[in-house]
Amino acid sequence: MPLLFTPLTLPAPDGDGLTLRNRAIVAPMCQYVIDAEDGVPTDWHLQHLGSFAAGGFGLVTTEATGVEARGRISPRDVGLYTDAQQQAHQRLVRFIHSQGAAAAVQLAHAGGKASTYPWLPGQPDGTVPAADGGWQTAGVADAPVLPGLDAATALSEQGIAEVVAAFAAAARRADAAGYDAIQLHAAHGYLMHQFLSPLTNTRIDGYGGDEERRTRLVREVAAAVRAVWPAHKPLGIRISATDWVDGGWDVAASARLLRRLATDHGVTWVDVSSGGLGRGADIAVGPGYQVTLAAELTRELAGTPLVVSTVGLIDEAIQAETILASGQAHAVSIGRAALRDPHWAASAASRLGVPRTEIPYPPQYWRANW
Ligand SMILES: Cc1cc2nc3c(=O)[nH]c(=O)nc-3n(C[C@H](O)[C@H](O)[C@H](O)COP(=O)(O)O)c2cc1C
C-alpha cells in the first residue's frame, strides 16, 4: 500500500486520537460565496467540501472561518459565532462524515487583513469601505498590514482578551457542530501571524518586543481553545514557517513555538505554509515549493507528538508519495489540485496502484473503473 493511502493518526491528549483513512488532506480554501454576508455556510459549501469527502480525502478542512464578524477576511466569508452558522456547519460535517472523511475547521481571525474584497474575478484589491459592507479592522498595530489596505486599529490588551475568548467560543461551537479537529490559522499575514512576525509586531506592551511576547497571543489562543476543545480531539495549527524576508519570522522561531505548543498546549498537528506579509518576500514558487520548510520542521520536531503536513503545489500523486516516503512530512495538503479534481484522492490511489477494492470512492461510482 502506498504511504499516501496508509492511515494516519493525529494524536490527542486523551484517548486514541483521530485516525484518518489516508494522508491526503484538503487545504482550507475561501469561497467568498455568502451573498447574505451573515457567515452562514451555504449549499455551495456543502457541495464544495462534500465532493472532496466523496472524492476520497482523509481529512477535509473548511475555509478560513471567522471567530467573530470583524475577523472575516471578506464580508462573504464563513463564520462560527452564531447559532445559525453552527447549524449549517453541522450539516457540512454530517455529510463529510457520511463519506468516510474527517472534518477540520480552520478557525481564523484576519486582524488587519480583514474586510478585504473577495479574491474573485473582477473584484478590486484592498479594504472594503464601510459604505460597501466593510468595517474598521482591528490588528496588531495602528498601521496597514500591507500597502493598499486601510490602517487597522491596534487591539488593546482587553481587545486581545476578547479575541482569545472568541476563539474559545468558536471552538465550543465547532465541537457542538461535530468537527473532529481544529486548525488554528496563524499563517498568511492574518492576526496571529501579525503578532508573531517582527515585520508587523511593533507593539511595546506585553504582546510585542521579544519572541516570548510576540508568541504570547498564539500561545494564549491555543491554551484557551485546548481548555474547551474535548481532550480526545486533536488541535492543529497552520503557520507561515517563514516570511521569506531577512529579519522576519523564520523556521527556527517556528520550531521553538511549535515545540512549546506541543508540550504545553496539546497541539499535535501543524500544516506548514509560508509568507503573507509581503515586504519584498522573495518566494521561489514551483512544485512543492514549501516542502523543504516542512522537512526541516519534521526533523526538528521529531520526538514530539506533532504530525506535520506540507502544502503548496503538490499536484501529482507520485510527487505526494515521494514526499511522504522520503520522510519530509507525514501528510500532504492539497489545494488547487483539489479544486480542479475534487476526486484527486481517489484518482491518486488509482494511479499509485491501490487495489480497486481499497480505493476511496463512493460505491455508486464503482462502475467508473478507477
Ligand atoms: C481559492 C483559494 C482560497 C484559499 N483560502 C485559504 C484559506 O481560507 N485559508 C488558508 O489558510 N489558505 C487558503 N488558501 C491557500 C491554500 O490553502 C494553499 O495553502 C495554497 O493554495 C497552496 O496550495 P496548492 O498549491 O495546493 O493550492 C487558499 C487558496 C486558494 C487557491
Side-chain angles (χ1 to χ4, degrees), residues 27-30 63-64 106 185 188 238 311-313 334-336 339:
M29 284 181 285
C30 282
E63 68 185 69
Q106 186 185 50
H185 194 355
H188 301 170
R238 178 175 245 207
V311 66
L313 286 178
I334 310 293
R336 288 161 292 183
L339 297 183

Side-chain angles (χ1 to χ4, degrees), residues 227-267:
V228 300
W229 182 240
H232 67 278
K233 293 187 178 185
L235 173 61
I237 190 165
R238 178 175 245 207
I239 59 159
S240 281
T242 175
D243 286 327
W244 301 106
V245 176
D246 282 345
W249 181 254
D250 60 18
V251 179
S254 300
R256 286 191 291 272
L257 172 62
L258 289 166
R259 188 174 290 279
R260 268 179 98 171
L261 291 176
T263 309
D264 300 344
H265 303 301
V267 172

Side-chain angles (χ1 to χ4, degrees), residues 3-14:
L3 207 44
L4 185 58
F5 291 94
T6 307
L8 173 70
T9 298
L10 305 183
D14 194 23

